[in-house]
Each structure stands twice: as structure tokens, then as C-alpha cells.
Amino acid sequence: MAEVRSGLEEKVVEAVRGNRDELLGVTAELVACDTTARGAGEPARDEEKLQGILARRLAALGAEVDLWEPEPTGKGNRHVPDDLDFRGRPQLAARLRGAGGGRSLLLNGHIDAVDVEPRERWASDPFTVVERDGRLYGRGTGDMKGGIAALVVALEALAHTGVRLAGDVVFCTVTDEESSGAGGFAAVAHGVRADAGICAEATGFDAWVACRGTLTPYVTVTGRAGHAEVRQAHWREGGAVNAIEKAIPIVQAAQRLRAEWRDRPDHQHPLLSPGDIVPTIVKGGTWEVTHPETCTVCFDCMYLPGHLDEEGTGKRVEAEIVRAFEAAAGTDPWFDEHPLGYEWRCDVVPAEIPADHPLVTVTLDAGAGLGRPGRAAGLDSWHDAATFTRRGGTPTFSYGGDALATAHTIDEWIAVDDLVDAAAVYALAAMRWCGVA
Ligand SMILES: [Zn+2]
């Protein structure tokens, strides 16, 4: 049963609805900033500009604004990419002090968005928000600049209605969610924390309380180059060995792991799919008529919260994958002398919070009261909420409007009504969680 809203809450909802044009305006401003997700070593784009837009709006509400560029990641941290640079790509944490005596609330969003290519296939420019039939089109409208705009409008509606919260609100926007989670990781390392938190991902008004983690092994198979159209001696006599063919048993071993995990008890979770391992990149060969000397296969490997070890890493899953690949290689004497090479990129850890966490309950309840019923659910992929939960000790989930089918697509869109209702829910959840002074 949705809770009946108080008179003050009704005024806040009205204020959010009255700010519809403002919400569209902020979304358009954020989408116009090119913050396409990038890899290590690539230059910054409009991240600083976008964070500046948000910082100014939060400062206008009286927030203490902290805008900082983290140190580069360096080397050897299994949870973030090596040598990732934050120059020109600041993180933002803005604290709105409450009157005191209430619980604090983290409101988070990622400012990066996925690539717009092939750009020519968009019906309209991906960096220019266009409203058609009640939908907002543009890269990031759904994932998740629209959600960030909804957070801003929610806080502005509270302020304009004269609501003073008892607990603090920490508004935090980060980079690098779509790639590695390094921005959220940097925010937690910087000290961003609260009693509980919401990421404004577009969840279809469900609360994503659990997500899977990811390991990304690059496995290199060594062969021996030689003319592909000339008869070759046995490899023991110096003949060529085709690295692409030698990689086949490794890929098949991954397929067997996937089949095994599908039914294995430790891979069953009430809200998440079993773990998975999917070959996603293959690089091998240099010439059309040469047996390839090497072949590297990248696997996207997902695992469950229950697989974390005592240190909070996915090393146990890593070890199982290595055992499976080594067993496959072990049947071929070539590999005795030419062992597999492993490079493990980021270990992006899974997380979950109780489905009946009080902030989840007040949020779903506020949504139901606005005609947007939702439930506690899982995200098979990953979101920054995991980092705040696991590393920052801030139980965090994702909640927002519906862009499940359109995120990351050409002609990405979200319904304007979804953003308006999400903003109203954020405002009500803040009142009920933080308390009103
Ligand atoms: Zn997202």
C-alpha cells in the first residue's frame, strides 16, 4: 500500500511537475556536453563543463561544492584500469547540510555516456535533445543525464517549497561508469559517503538492489608463424603452429564453464542470472597467407556477490577460469612449452543490499503512490551503486524511469513523464528518509 502523501509532500510533487520545462532544459544542457566514455590515455572532452553546470546549480541551493580531479590510477590496483588519467575530468560531490538529526542521503549519477556511432543513423543529432511525442531523444537522455537532471530538479523543488531536510544530502556525479567504474571508485576513496544512497539509473521504476561483477581476462595463445600455403613439418621439427586453431579449445572450455554455471547451486540468485563467460574480442594473425604467431581472446566474465572472497575480490572465480583453460590446454603437448598468457583487466565487483532496506521501501512506496509501482530487482550488468555499497559502506541501489530498451541504442530516448515522476519520487524519498526539519 502506498503511503498517503502529506500536504507538504503534495506541494513538493506539484513543484516538481511545475518544473517540467526546467527538467527538459537541464537534460538538454547535459546532453549537449560530449562526455562520451573513453579509455586510458584519451583526452578529456566536456566533463569539466558538465560538472561545472551541476556545481553551479547545487551551489545556488546552498550546497558546499567539492569539485576535484583525482590522481591518476597508477598501476597494480585490480579494481581500476592502469594509468587512467582524470585531467579535465573532475568528480563532483556537493553537500546540502540538513538541519540535523536526520539520516543522510547519497544521490549519484554517472556523467559519461556511450559512443554515438554510427552517428549518421540517428534521426536527429545525438547531442541535441529533441522532444517528439512525449519522448526526449538524445545520447544520455535515458542513461543517465535525464536521471541526473531529475535529481537536480528534485532538490530544487524541495528548496523552492521551503522544505528543509533534517539529514544531509550528498549529490555526487562521477565519470567512467560505462567503462570501469573508476570515477565512483575515486569518489569513495575521496570520502563520499552517506547512510544510504540512490543512483539515478533508468530502472523502469524498479529498485536494482543487486548486480553482478565482471572479470575481463585477455588470454594469449602462442603459435609459430609459417607460410600457410606451404607444407609444414611437425611442430617438433620446427613446423608452423596456427595460434587461431590452438585458441579453439580455450573458447570451448569457456562454453563448458557457462553450461556448468547455468545449473550449479552457487550460481543461483533470486534476482540475478547465473555467472557467464562470453568471448567478446579476438585478435590474431598478421597476414592472409601466414599461420598466425599469436591469438588473443578477451572474455567478459560475470560473477555473483556470493563469489567474492574474504578480501572482496573475484580471485576465486579467476582461479576457476584458469583451471578450466589449463585443463583444456593440458591435453595438447604444445602448451607444455608454450603456456597460455593471461592479462586480467579490471575486477569490477558485484554487490547487493537487502531488498527490504528502508530507503528501498520508502522509494518504491513513493513511486507506487505516484502510479509507478515497482519492485526490488537485480541488474545482470553492473552500476556504480556497487562501489558505494561495497567500498564506501553506503547501501546504494539504482532507481529511475524506464530506458531499459533504449539505453545505449541509436535514437536513445526516455519519456518526459518518466523523468518528471522520477524527480518527484527522489524528492519524496529524500523527505521520508532524511526527515523534514
Ligand atoms: Zn548508466
Side-chain angles (χ1 to χ4, degrees), residues 4-326:
V4 175
R5 290 191 294 276
S6 69
L8 186 57
E9 288 181 343
E10 288 298 344
K11 280 200 187 121
V12 169
V13 172
E14 264 170 51
V16 169
R17 287 180 176 150
N19 270 353
R20 183 186 175 96
D21 289 346
E22 199 67 24
L23 181 48
L24 302 199
V26 179
T27 306
E29 254 191 298
L30 301 184
V31 168
C33 297
D34 178 357
T35 52
T36 304
R38 1 214 48 213
E42 295 171 83
R45 288 183 158 174
D46 295 336
E47 291 88 345
E48 190 162 16
K49 181 179 168 196
L50 188 154
Q51 297 284 45
I53 292 168
L54 295 171
R56 279 190 294 281
R57 292 193 87 105
L58 269 291
L61 293 176
E64 298 154 22
V65 170
D66 187 1
L67 195 58
W68 80 100
E69 286 179 7
E71 291 293 311
T73 54
K75 281 192 169 50
N77 181 337
R78 66 181 278 125
H79 302 294
V80 287
D82 285 349
D83 299 322
L84 184 67
D85 193 318
F86 292 96
R87 244 176 310 163
R89 305 187 317 117
Q91 315 300 310
L92 169 65
R95 179 178 291 270
L96 274 165
R97 294 247 173 233
R103 295 179 288 201
S104 58
L105 175 65
L106 168 72
L107 296 175
N108 163 260
H110 64 83
I111 65 164
D112 55 328
V114 296
D115 199 359
V116 298
E117 297 303 333
R119 187 169 181 167
E120 69 279 2
R121 286 187 48 208
W122 286 67
S124 53
D125 177 40
F127 294 108
T128 307
V129 165
V130 175
E131 186 181 354
R132 288 196 298 270
D133 308 322
R135 298 168 168 182
L136 285 189
Y137 287 86
R139 173 57 83 224
T141 49
D143 187 12
M144 58 178 286
K145 293 174 177 179
I148 293 171
L151 293 177
V152 171
V153 165
L155 295 175
E156 291 177 348
L158 288 172
H160 298 157
T161 320
V163 173
R164 176 91 197 268
L165 298 174
D168 292 3
V169 170
V170 180
F171 176 97
C172 174
T173 42
V174 300
T175 61
D176 298 282
E177 194 272 352
E178 296 287 3
S179 47
S180 62
F185 202 91
V188 168
H190 193 68
V192 173
R193 275 170 190 50
D195 290 326
I198 300 173
C199 293
E201 295 279 7
T203 64
F205 296 99
D206 285 339
W208 289 344
V209 296
C211 72
R212 299 192 294 185
T214 310
L215 293 166
T216 316
Y218 282 70
V219 182
T220 297
V221 176
T222 303
R224 186 188 288 148
H227 202 306
E229 298 175 352
V230 171
R231 187 178 179 136
Q232 293 289 332
H234 189 273
W235 65 265
R236 291 205 193 271
E237 271 94 56
V241 175
N242 189 303
I244 292 176
E245 291 183 350
K246 289 290 180 198
I248 292 170
I250 307 307
V251 174
Q252 289 171 330
Q255 290 176 316
R256 284 194 299 275
L257 264 186
R258 174 196 297 161
E260 182 188 330
W261 288 352
R262 203 171 290 141
D263 303 312
R264 215 169 70 185
D266 65 303
H267 277 271
Q268 309 308 311
H269 187 286
L271 302 176
L272 299 170
S273 297
D276 203 350
I277 178 163
V278 180
T280 50
I281 302 172
V282 175
K283 283 185 179 152
T286 54
W287 192 241
E288 291 172 357
V289 286
T290 301
H291 287 290
E293 172 89 9
T294 65
C295 177
T296 299
V297 185
C298 167
F299 295 91
D300 183 26
C301 167
M302 285 135 281
Y303 66 101
L304 301 181
H307 293 130
L308 288 165
D309 63 13
E310 302 67 31
E311 297 161 5
T313 77
K315 283 182 188 165
R316 281 206 297 249
V317 183
E318 188 175 307
E320 183 182 357
I321 294 168
V322 170
R323 277 198 306 277
F325 288 174
E326 292 300 318

Side-chain angles (χ1 to χ4, degrees), residues 369-429:
L370 290 165
R372 300 288 197 168
R375 61 192 173 86
L379 168 65
D380 276 339
S381 183
W382 184 89
H383 54 169
D384 275 329
T387 303
F388 291 105
T389 298
R390 193 162 284 288
R391 310 242 163 245
T394 304
T396 306
F397 61 96
S398 283
Y399 182 90
D402 190 352
L404 301 177
T406 67
H408 296 211
T409 63
I410 291 165
D411 294 333
E412 176 177 348
W413 62 268
I414 191 164
V416 183
D417 287 345
D418 277 30
L419 290 183
V420 172
D421 285 346
V425 173
Y426 299 142
L428 294 180

